Amino acid sequence: MDRYFGVSRVGSSIKTEAIAGLTTFLAMLYIIPTASSILAVSGMPKDALITAVILATCIATLLSGLWAKVPVAMSVGMGLNAYFSFSMVKTMGLSWEEALGVVFLSGVIFLLVSLTKMRQWLIGSIPLGLRFALAGGLGAFIATIGLYSSGIITIAPSGFPALGKLNTPQVWITIFGVLLTLILCAKRIHSAFVIGIFSCCLIAWGLQIAPMPKEFFSLPASIAPIAFKMDILGVLSLSIVPTIVSLLVLDLFDSLGTLAGVGAKIGLFQNQNNQGDKVLEKTLEVDAAATVIGASLGVSTTTSFLESASGVSEGGKTGLTSVFCALFFALCLFLFPLFDSIPLFAIYPSMIVVGAMMFLEVRRIDFADLPTGLSAFFAIILMPLTYSIANGLAAGFIVYIFASLALKQYERINIGVLVLGALSVLPILVHGFLMQG
């Protein structure tokens, strides 16, 4: 074990790696109830989703440790799971089987991109400001869903958003959960989201608003109702292209941003005789393969988690940290009654706070630069307003291209921007003409 992972070589120990794996696990534990509850909105059975989320997390994180040998845990991406249920299924009208087909296809394309030089071309094609706008828009999108779903925000008879009826215990528990989680995050408590969720549960159980679990341990539920149910042929149409492109781009840059943040702490991906690039390539390969595997199991896009930084902060330096983390998640397979008893209003605080944390990426956008600032604004604001990441991404590309042309800054417009812009916009235009006809 020491020889395979090089634990001693990097100045770590098996005990340190185990503690780091446990820390990452505790920081990410919230993803099981949160992701399964969000994906259940699409119509998939929650009991099967709980098992599928745990399995996808275990497999992806284990591959990260064994293949890429990095202390990076992976699971069902926050924001992308909300996009799956609320946009692809609820707004676009796809069945959850078709939505899984879209996720599967985006994962296959991501895997091909990761195995070729297209990865470098794609990374270099998208303007830096738009990359951060994607994170900001996704954060605004998931926070908006959390606020609406919890009842804190509602649609008034006038058709405009307004404060909801703040006179129900469920809403006040959600608000309490948001404030508690924000405070814990500000204090850099690793298990902030887990503490927030279970604090809300304890209050709800104590007030008898939600039923307590009658038992805590059981065998895992079967994933047969959702495993290998993706409908690939049903989504092979031009109108689905923007969604596939959006998932591909989001997964790639979400992973790159996470890996940059985690790697900076221990110099993980620094380029030393191309070794850093090779490790990054292997990690992205795992990320892409995990999305394909996850879609097959019945969950939305799988990606690297920034919570891995908590384990790195505890001394984790090798893939053994990820292996331990995966093993801890495997134990959760037998805690089905506990996760199944968590009410939705205990989940919404984590959605709102995760969205807020993701939105903070806008601080890295150069708003003084006109094409960058304008494209970022429209990309960010249209994602929550239209419940579509694809629409926001398309708007960002359109504004960036036209603003650059207006300022005669032609060097900004490379082939990648034009290709990705066309892939994002063309199907929307075709759909508009068909609707008009």
Side-chain angles (χ1 to χ4, degrees), residues 122-136 253 256 361:
L122 188 59
I123 293 171
S125 295
I126 299 182
L128 192 61
L130 268 181
R131 301 181 201 177
F132 299 135
L134 283 173
F253 285 105
L256 287 172
E361 287 297 307

Side-chain angles (χ1 to χ4, degrees), residues 297-322:
L297 293 174
V299 298
S300 58
T301 305
T302 302
T303 189
S304 305
F305 263 61
L306 191 57
E307 283 82 356
S308 304
S310 62
V312 171
S313 298
E314 292 295 325
K317 296 181 179 180
T318 74
L320 189 56
T321 293
S322 297

